[in-house]
């Protein structure tokens, strides 16, 4: 009995429901959101501490012992992800104050925001596969609201595709759960793992495993990412930061959890699929990031490269690979959130999302420029920053496992990440400023869909400060994780140990 | 719509709406032991209100029930949430439900349990969501 575990879900849910009563009171919505966000970071920190000192924590909801009731499980992996997600959530919330606009704020923006966090934390913490589906839906329905909120032409064009893909994949998810339940007769993940190990994974169970892989890949953007680059280009940047930082990571978490806990017994079949999909994702993501010359697309394809990297780490199936997966996902949640926050600030400052139409911003916004530069290095994996340790561990795992080609692909994709982000840095921040008439003309003609809504000039300074504050908050973590890589590795190794040995998880949940 | 143009529909509705609501109430309370529960009772109640809206018009429904249905949804969620969270204050796991047998004036010995309060939350949320959808789509704008 350990009610602490349900608090990360309960708190944002309470805030979301409470805020429905005060739709017009923006100040209250903001203040409550920040207080809740800080509280959640603290709670997540306490959970991480508890797991560190006391091992895997479980909470049997309603007091029903597993496998009969739903159980919340916080192993180190889940706890770390909840912590990273709550930090990113808090930062994106602050960035929303600066960028989202009063119109959206009055139409339940913060309610949807907090419900999305409910879904994300719940997905990380639950130990029941159908409950995982429910939290996925909580998260997705909030994301539907967020992607359509505002109703611009571009959002209306992209939202139906996004909805269609996710409804399809959710239906497949239910079908996959039904097959799994028919095959082994339980829904608790630990119990599932035990039963599948007993029955011997093969034949039907491998088919179900691949079905789960397809479902989660659709959500995470692993190879089946055709919907992602355009869908993530539609909503405002604060929402994109939330999506890029959290949504794909929940899909990835589900892949990692499923294939380390439930279906780890036939890696020559399942993990070969994952390896192939990871390679394709990294190659295609890299090509996309290098090819485009508008900022939203470059950023969206960079999300994909990160997804491919984590899947590669999982596919290696080695201890190093697992530690790397944990480390890299931590880094990815924070840095992808930061990437979209900075991207949004950059586009707001330049008034355009096309690289050809900007330049010379380093003179007016030096802070933004250097933050973007550090982020580019962090995403590439330059040693003192957060991306390095994860990439090293994953590639070392790959080489241990003899996946030389895949390791080279991973390294090449890092190079393309660097190229694509430095391209933005070089062309937007250096060089000469574009002709003012051209920019004004383009704004007037409404050619760019990514313009920030026009707002009063007087409020501008405060808004920039808020946006910078959220970027600095994330940047501190991105640098901090890199500098304290040795300390963080202790946590990541504890998480990797559980991923590597599902017996620890089963023992903690079923208490045998 | 001029009054009287749908005299049959309107007069039948006046009676039937109460029968439906009573049935919804029955479904709500019987949910623990037989088929029924908060979800179907909520849908049934929303159905009764929809009949009212069809026989008269949306304005009548608003006049009969002058509440913001979005807030009804929120209240339902809040009730369900607090029922679950209540267990936290007694040092029990989240969603642990309590029950007991009580001697009630009219009903005699009755089993009361907190799952019913949770169901009330579900009921309000379902009524709120359904009515919000119907009224939002039904409004010409």
């Amino acid at each position: 009995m350990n009610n602490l575990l349900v608090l990360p879900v309960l708190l944002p849910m309470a805030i979301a429901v409470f805020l429905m009563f005060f739709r017009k009171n923006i100040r209250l919505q903001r203040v409550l959101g920040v207080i809740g966000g800080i509280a959640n970071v603290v709670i997540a920190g306490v959970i991480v501490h508890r797991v560190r000192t006391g091992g895997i924590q479980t909470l049997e909801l309603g007091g029903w012992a597993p496998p009969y009731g739903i159980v919340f499980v916080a192993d180190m992996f889940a706890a770390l992800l909840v912590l990273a997600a709550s930090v990113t959530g808090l930062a994106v919330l602050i960035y929303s104050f600066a960028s989202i606009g009063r119109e959206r704020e009055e139409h339940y923006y913060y309610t949807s925001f907090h419900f999305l966090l409910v879904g994300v934390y719940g997905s990380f913490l639950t130990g029941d596969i159908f409950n995982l589906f429910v939290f996925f839906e909580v998260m997705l329905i909030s994301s539907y609201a967020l992607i359509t909120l505002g109703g611009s032409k571009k959002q209306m064009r992209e939202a139906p595709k996004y909805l269609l893909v996710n409804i399809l994949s959710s239906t497949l998810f239910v079908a996959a759960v039904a097959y799994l339940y028919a095959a082994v007769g339980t829904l608790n993940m630990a119990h599932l793992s035990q039963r599948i190990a007993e029955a011997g994974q093969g034949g039907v169970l491998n088919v179900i495993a691949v079905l789960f892989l397809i479902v989660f890949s659709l959500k995470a953007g692993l190879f089946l990412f055709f919907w992602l680059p355009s869908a993530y280009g539609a909503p405002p940047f604060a929402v994109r930061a939330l999506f890029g930082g959290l949504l794909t990571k929940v899909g990835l978490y589900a892949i990692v959890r499923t294939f380390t806990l439930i279906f780890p017994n036939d890696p020559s079949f399942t993990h070969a699929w994952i390896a192939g999909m990871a390679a394709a994702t990294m190659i295609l993501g890299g090509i996309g990031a290098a090819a485009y010359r508008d900022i939203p697309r470059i950023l969206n394809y960079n999300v994909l490269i990160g997804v491919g990297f984590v899947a590669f780490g999982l596919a290696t199936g080695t201890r190093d690979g697992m530690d790397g997966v944990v480390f890299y996902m931590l880094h990815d949640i924070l840095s992808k959130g930061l990437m979209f926050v900075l991207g949004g600030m950059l586009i707001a400052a330049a008034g355009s999302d096309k690289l050809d139409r900007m330049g010379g911003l380093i003179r007016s916004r030096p802070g933004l420029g250097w933050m973007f530069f550090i982020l580019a290095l962090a995403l590439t994996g330059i040693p003192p920053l957060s991306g390095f340790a994860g990439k090293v561990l994953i590639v070392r795992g790959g080489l241990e496992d003899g996946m030389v080609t895949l390791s080279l692909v991973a390294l090449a994709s890092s190079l393309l990440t660097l190229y694509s982000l430095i391209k933005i840095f070089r062309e937007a921040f250096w060089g000469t400023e574009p002709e003012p008439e051209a920019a004004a003309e383009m704004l007037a003609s409404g050619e760019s869909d990514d313009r920030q809504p026009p707002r009063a000039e007087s409020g501008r300074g405060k808004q920039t400060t808020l946006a910078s504050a959220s970027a600095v908050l994330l940047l501190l973590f991105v640098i901090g994780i890199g500098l304290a890589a040795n300390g963080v590795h202790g946590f990541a190794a504890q998480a990797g140990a559980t991923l590597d040995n599902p017996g620890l998880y089963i023992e903690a949940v079923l208490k045998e | 719509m001029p009054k009287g143009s749908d005299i049959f529909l309107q007069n039948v509705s006046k009676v039937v709406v109460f029968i439906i609501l009573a049935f919804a109430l029955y479904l709500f309370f019987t949910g623990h032991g037989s088929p029924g529960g908060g979800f179907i009772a909520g849908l049934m109640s929303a159905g009764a209100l929809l009949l009212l809206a069809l026989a008269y018009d949306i304005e009548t429904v608003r006049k009969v029930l002058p509440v913001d249905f979005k807030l009804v949804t929120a209240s339902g969620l809040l009730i369900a949430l607090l029922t679950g969270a209540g267990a936290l204050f007694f040092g029990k796991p989240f969603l642990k439900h309590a029950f007991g047998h009580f001697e009630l004036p009219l009903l005699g010995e009755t089993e009361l349990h907190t799952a019913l309060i949770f169901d009330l939350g579900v009921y309000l949320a379902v009524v709120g969501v359904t009515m919000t959808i119907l009224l939002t789509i039904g409004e010409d704008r």
Side-chain angles (χ1 to χ4, degrees):
Chain A
M1 213 281 297
N2 188 355
N3 274 320
L4 187 69
L5 292 192
V6 82
L7 286 184
V9 176
L10 211 52
L11 191 66
M13 202 196 295
I15 293 175
V17 171
F18 190 68
L19 290 185
M20 286 176 81
F21 291 100
F22 302 98
R23 176 157 89 94
K24 299 278 185 191
N25 193 341
I26 308 284
R27 182 179 293 269
L28 176 75
Q29 303 212 17
R30 290 181 172 191
V31 170
L32 217 57
V34 169
I35 293 173
I38 294 171
N40 245 342
V41 173
V42 174
I43 292 169
V46 174
I47 293 178
V48 169
H49 176 73
R50 284 260 180 101
V51 178
R52 182 70 175 163
T53 50
I56 298 171
Q57 307 282 310
T58 61
L59 166 64
E60 293 154 8
L61 295 189
W64 299 101
Y68 304 108
I70 290 174
V71 57
F72 267 34
V73 186
D75 62 344
M76 190 45 106
F77 186 38
L80 285 176
L81 291 184
V82 169
L83 181 59
S86 48
V87 170
T88 310
L90 177 61
V92 175
L93 186 71
I94 296 171
Y95 178 61
S96 305
F97 301 161
S99 67
I100 209 72
R102 197 176 172 82
E103 183 77 358
R104 285 192 171 96
E105 285 181 310
E106 277 187 357
H107 286 88
Y108 301 108
Y109 174 79
Y110 294 116
T111 298
S112 312
F113 187 101
H114 285 105
F115 270 125
L116 190 120
L117 293 183
V118 170
V120 171
Y121 301 146
S123 305
F124 287 152
L125 287 173
T126 188
D128 179 284
I129 196 129
F130 195 75
N131 199 228
L132 177 70
F133 169 77
V134 174
F135 276 119
F136 257 99
E137 286 307 300
V138 170
M139 175 183 86
L140 287 172
I141 290 172
S142 323
S143 79
Y144 301 157
L146 287 173
I147 205 172
T148 47
L149 191 64
S152 74
K153 197 195 262 178
K154 188 168 188 175
Q155 284 175 295
M156 292 297 111
R157 196 173 62 225
E158 295 303 333
K161 300 178 201 164
Y162 178 76
L163 257 77
L164 205 62
V165 167
N166 278 304
I167 289 171
L168 188 73
S169 66
S170 295
T171 315
L172 275 178
F173 195 169
V174 178
V177 170
Y179 290 144
L180 192 59
Y181 188 67
V184 292
T186 181
L187 290 172
N188 180 283
M189 290 192 202
H191 200 214
L192 273 172
S193 170
Q194 217 176 25
R195 287 229 168 143
I196 287 174
E198 281 165 12
Q201 187 185 333
V204 166
L205 286 172
N206 266 341
V207 173
I208 297 172
V210 171
L211 198 54
F212 272 107
L213 182 61
I214 293 172
V215 168
F216 294 140
S217 302
L218 271 168
K219 314 257 187 202
L222 177 67
F223 184 58
L224 303 170
F225 61 72
F226 52 89
W227 54 274
L228 191 144
S230 60
Y232 279 21
F237 262 90
V239 178
R240 283 185 221 185
L242 211 54
F243 283 17
L246 301 178
L247 286 199
T248 52
K249 305 306 170 294
V250 176
L252 262 181
Y253 166 81
I255 293 179
V256 174
R257 185 60 86 202
T258 326
F259 284 90
T260 53
L261 181 64
I262 303 179
F263 301 113
N265 306 314
D266 192 3
S268 62
F269 179 73
T270 50
H271 288 48
W273 274 70
I274 298 175
M277 289 166 83
T281 313
M282 284 188 283
I283 293 170
L284 295 174
I287 292 173
Y292 283 100
R293 290 189 59 74
D294 62 330
I295 292 172
R297 292 243 168 209
I298 297 175
L299 300 188
N300 292 345
Y301 277 101
N302 268 302
V303 171
L304 296 175
I305 299 177
V307 171
F309 235 100
V310 174
F312 170 41
L314 173 65
T316 63
T318 58
R319 231 351 261 290
D320 273 337
M322 290 304 158
D323 294 0
V325 163
V326 178
F327 215 115
Y328 196 80
M329 274 189 75
L330 269 183
H331 147 81
D332 212 40
I333 289 179
L334 293 160
S335 60
K336 290 289 154 40
L338 176 62
M339 181 174 83
F340 282 102
V341 169
L342 290 178
M345 287 170 71
L346 173 59
I347 286 172
S352 163
D353 59 355
K354 302 277 185 292
L355 273 183
D356 300 333
R357 298 223 169 89
M358 48 178 81
L361 275 171
I362 198 79
R363 272 186 287 281
S364 56
R365 303 291 299 277
L368 177 60
W370 293 116
M371 279 200 281
F372 195 88
F373 183 67
I374 295 172
L375 170 76
L377 299 186
L379 280 174
T380 314
I382 305 292
L385 297 161
S386 63
F388 176 66
K391 288 197 176 186
V392 164
L393 286 168
I394 289 177
V395 170
R396 194 161 76 188
L399 292 176
E400 262 173 42
D401 207 37
M403 298 170 149
V404 180
T405 325
L406 213 61
S407 305
L408 289 177
V409 166
L411 293 175
S413 78
S414 296
L415 210 59
L416 287 172
T417 303
L418 181 67
Y419 167 70
S420 65
L421 292 172
I422 289 299
K423 182 169 67 180
I424 296 180
F425 180 68
R426 193 172 60 104
E427 303 201 6
F429 290 100
W430 300 118
T432 52
E433 285 168 46
E435 302 286 315
E437 302 99 63
E441 192 182 303
M442 188 212 55
L443 277 182
S445 66
E447 196 179 313
S448 162
D449 284 323
D450 269 314
R451 271 177 303 143
Q452 299 292 312
R455 60 174 85 94
E457 203 57 44
S458 59
R460 196 137 208 175
K462 196 178 153 202
Q463 309 220 326
T464 317
T465 318
L466 275 174
S468 307
S470 79
V472 168
L473 173 66
L474 284 172
L475 195 67
L476 283 179
F477 274 89
V478 167
I479 298 174
I481 288 180
L483 292 181
N486 253 337
V488 180
H489 185 251
F491 291 87
Q494 193 185 347
T498 320
L499 293 183
D500 203 36
N501 178 11
L504 296 173
Y505 186 101
I506 296 170
E507 204 176 308
V509 175
L510 297 180
K511 300 200 176 72
E512 282 163 357
Chain B
M1 184 189 305
K3 206 167 170 16
S5 61
D6 270 323
I7 186 130
F8 282 113
L9 184 60
Q10 289 182 348
N11 282 311
V12 170
S13 299
K14 272 180 199 163
V15 180
V16 169
V17 161
F18 285 102
I19 298 175
I20 299 178
L21 284 176
F23 187 50
L25 204 66
Y26 166 75
L27 282 174
F28 177 75
F29 281 109
T30 193
H32 196 65
S34 16
F39 185 77
I40 187 66
L43 277 184
M44 195 68 92
S45 310
L49 296 179
L50 177 64
L51 180 63
L52 212 58
L54 284 175
Y56 295 86
D57 53 6
I58 286 177
E59 285 315 307
T60 316
V61 179
R62 284 195 193 286
K63 223 183 296 172
V64 173
L65 270 179
V67 289
D68 183 350
F69 282 102
K70 296 202 244 344
L71 296 188
V72 173
T73 312
S75 321
L77 288 172
L78 201 62
I79 290 172
L81 193 70
L82 290 178
T83 317
L88 265 65
F89 299 108
F90 296 101
K92 293 275 178 341
F94 179 64
L95 282 178
K96 178 84 189 170
H97 85 294
F99 64 95
H101 295 270
F102 297 91
E103 200 68 42
L104 293 184
L106 264 172
L107 301 166
E109 193 187 323
T110 319
E111 188 188 2
L112 290 179
H113 40 93
T114 53
L116 191 71
I117 311 177
F118 189 87
D119 238 11
L120 179 69
V122 175
Y123 173 84
L124 288 177
V126 170
V127 170
V129 167
T130 318
M131 289 315 291
T132 308
I133 294 172
L134 290 175
L135 296 183
T136 317
I137 298 176
E139 264 164 6
D140 287 330
R141 256 198 301 139

